[in-house]
């Protein structure tokens, strides 16, 4: 290395897309100002992720973004769309997978699921991260790093002038996407079902209002003799994208190589076939290629580097798990890194990131793959194709077992269980109950670990304390003399008699 200007930062985030920007917000809100570097000139230019889970909105609610996101989402898509499958938009409906994405959600969460393009979500995250104190640098690429055990040095190139600088940091989060150069440099492999297809996304304008009127649909799967894929339309019905996963007869050799021919003629034909109107006027805006894959990294951490988002797991879009799982990775890691960086917790707390998130990542890969097989290429269903676990289980049923949870999930229990089964057991999500001031129990630890107390409970614990009204305490499984330690990512670290809270906290922060 030459004579580089050295910059210091407590945490370096590589990748300024959905997960990197979310991590920046979650770190900054905990009082740690990360540096985010992104090689592109700005936030995402393609819509990509569009379906967001309630766990994601809860995490964004805790950083004050719920209202802005809801407003933008309603303007783009309208609320509560459904998910169905058709032969073509103008043709026969084959299945109604989800009639209304928010049916049955209210008892479990203060939030609602939403549709929004990644392209318009990312600027909101960017602005919030900057407002909270994160530093963000675009056109800046990580070109190398060295983990020296007690600190990490990263080499970054300014893509405007070619200058290379050295950054000294305590920890690095690799949110650098599915090809993750950082994961490759660390020699961390991936495993899982693997490659599914060379897919494409066709962005287009066409007047599809006649076939969308009166149908509130967020995702429309298309299964016909020409193709398998899905549509997503913006409100108004004149603009959207068609993602195409396979072509024609699946037994033909090139059926899964959709990206082989990107000519306007072929893309136009695919859109017309999916709409079901052979002479539809279509204006093509762009075509993106991507690999549908289902894999999980074999480790989420090496030394001072943590993988998050697509760097840690890649799933087909079916079910909308990719970005959502990454946001939860970021929420899980950020408060732990912040406590360690601020000297409030022992470094061993960071071991709980992989212990908690990798089993969830593996189950998510399995479930996204199962949804892809069952919804997109049902000819490939075999006796080994897993059953689909229900959406609430996968979205908010993460059930952790680690040194940062006292008495969490049993060794032989699944990584996600329905919230009705866990009911605020340590390692599961804090059950939602409304409080008089409009907050939810899920909001109470937004700023840091917090002790929630039953009606008569008292404790010398140094954490901020909130006494819950009887209904909310009961929802959280707290008797009058009980307490629980709520984590900033919305999970329960410990629950028991309030008199044990001091010892419990010691065990959680220095596991
Ligand atoms: C058609 C489609 C539909 C989808 N729908 C959904 C959905 O409905 N819901 C959902 O949750 N997910 C969905 N996804 C998945 C979602 O888009 C991804 O999971 C999400 O973008 C992952 O975010 P990320 O930040 O981990 O990675 P990415 O978005 O890939 O971002 C990684 C960033 O790192 C940057 N980078 C890489 N290397 C370097 C380097 N060396 N230095 C600096 N920067 C670097 C890249 O430029 C990039 O901006 C969909 C994906 C597709 C393709």
């Amino acid at each position: 290395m030459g004579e580089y200007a050295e910059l210091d930062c407590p945490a370096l985030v590589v990748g300024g897309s959905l997960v990197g920007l979310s991590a920046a917000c979650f770190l900054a809100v905990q009082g740690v100002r990360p540096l985010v570097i992104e090689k592109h000139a700005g936030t995402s230019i393609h819509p990509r992720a569009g379906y967001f889970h309630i766990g994601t909105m809860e995490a964004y609610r805790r950083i004050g973004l719920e209202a802005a996101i809801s407003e933008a989402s309603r303007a783009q898509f309208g609320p509560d769309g459904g998910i169905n499958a058709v032969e073509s938009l103008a043709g026969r409906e084959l299945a109604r997978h989800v009639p209304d994405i928010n049916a049955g959600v209210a008892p479990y969460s203060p939030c609602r699921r939403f549709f929004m393009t990644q392209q318009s979500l990312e600027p909101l995250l960017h602005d919030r991260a900057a407002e909270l104190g994160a530093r963000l640098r675009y056109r800046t690429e990580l070109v190398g790093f060295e983990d020296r055990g007690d600190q990490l040095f990263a080499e970054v190139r300014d893509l405007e002038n070619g200058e290379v600088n050295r950054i000294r940091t305590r920890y690095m989060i690799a949110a650098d996407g599915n090809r993750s150069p950082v994961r490759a440099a660390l020699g961390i492999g991936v495993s899982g079902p693997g490659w599914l297809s060379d897919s494409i996304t066709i962005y287009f304008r066409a007047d599809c209002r006649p076939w969308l009127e009166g149908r509130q649909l967020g995702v429309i799967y298309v299964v016909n003799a020409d193709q398998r894929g899905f549509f997503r339309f913006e409100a108004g019905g004149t603009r959207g994208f068609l993602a195409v996963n396979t072509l024609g007869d699946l037994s033909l050799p090139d059926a899964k190589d959709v990206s082989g021919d990107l000519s306007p003629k072929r893309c136009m034909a695919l859109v017309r076939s999916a709409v079901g109107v052979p002479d539809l006027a279509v204006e093509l805006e762009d075509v993106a290629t991507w690999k549908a894959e289902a894999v999980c990294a074999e480790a989420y951490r090496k030394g001072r580097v943590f993988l998050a988002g697509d760097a840690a797991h890649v799933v087909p879009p079916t079910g909308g798990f990719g970005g959502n799982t990454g946001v939860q990775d970021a929420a899980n890691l950020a408060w732990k890194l912040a406590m360690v960086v601020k000297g409030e917790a022992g470094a061993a707390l960071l071991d709980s990131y992989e212990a908690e998130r990798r089993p969830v990542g593996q189950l998510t890969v399995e479930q996204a793959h199962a949804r892809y097989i069952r919804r997109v290429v049902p000819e490939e269903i075999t006796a080994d194709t897993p059953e689909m676990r229900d959406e609430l289980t996968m979205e908010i049923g993460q059930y952790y077992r680690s040194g940062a949870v006292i008495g969490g999930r049993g060794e032989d229990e699944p990584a996600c269980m329905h919230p009705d089964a866990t009911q605020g057991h340590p390692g599961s999500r804090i059950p939602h109950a409304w409080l008089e001031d409009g907050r939810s129990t899920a909001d109470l630890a937004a700023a840091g670990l917090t002790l929630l107390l039953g009606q008569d409970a008292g404790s010398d614990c140094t954490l901020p304390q909130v006494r819950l009204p009887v209904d909310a305490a009961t929802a959280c499984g707290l008797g009058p003399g009980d307490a629980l330690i709520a984590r900033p990512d919305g999970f329960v670290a410990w629950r028991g008699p309030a008199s044990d809270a001091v010892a419990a906290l010691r065990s959680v922060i220095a596991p």
Side-chain angles (χ1 to χ4, degrees), residues 14-20 37-40 48-52 118 122 140-143 175-178 181 201 203 230 232 241 243 290 308-311 317 320-325:
V14 183
S17 183
L18 182 68
V19 174
I37 54 166
E38 165 58 53
K39 65 183 182 187
H40 287 133
R48 292 197 292 169
Y51 178 44
F52 291 96
Q118 193 165 332
E122 286 186 10
T140 305
E141 182 178 25
L142 181 82
V143 289
D176 54 349
N178 58 357
T201 306
Y203 299 93
F230 64 91
R232 207 177 277 146
F241 73 69
W290 49 281
D310 278 16
F321 290 113
N324 286 293
T325 308

Side-chain angles (χ1 to χ4, degrees), residues 9-35:
C9 66
L12 175 67
V13 181
V14 183
S17 183
L18 182 68
V19 174
L21 292 172
S22 297
C25 290
F26 301 150
L27 279 166
V29 84
Q30 300 291 328
V32 167
R33 296 178 59 199
L35 172 64

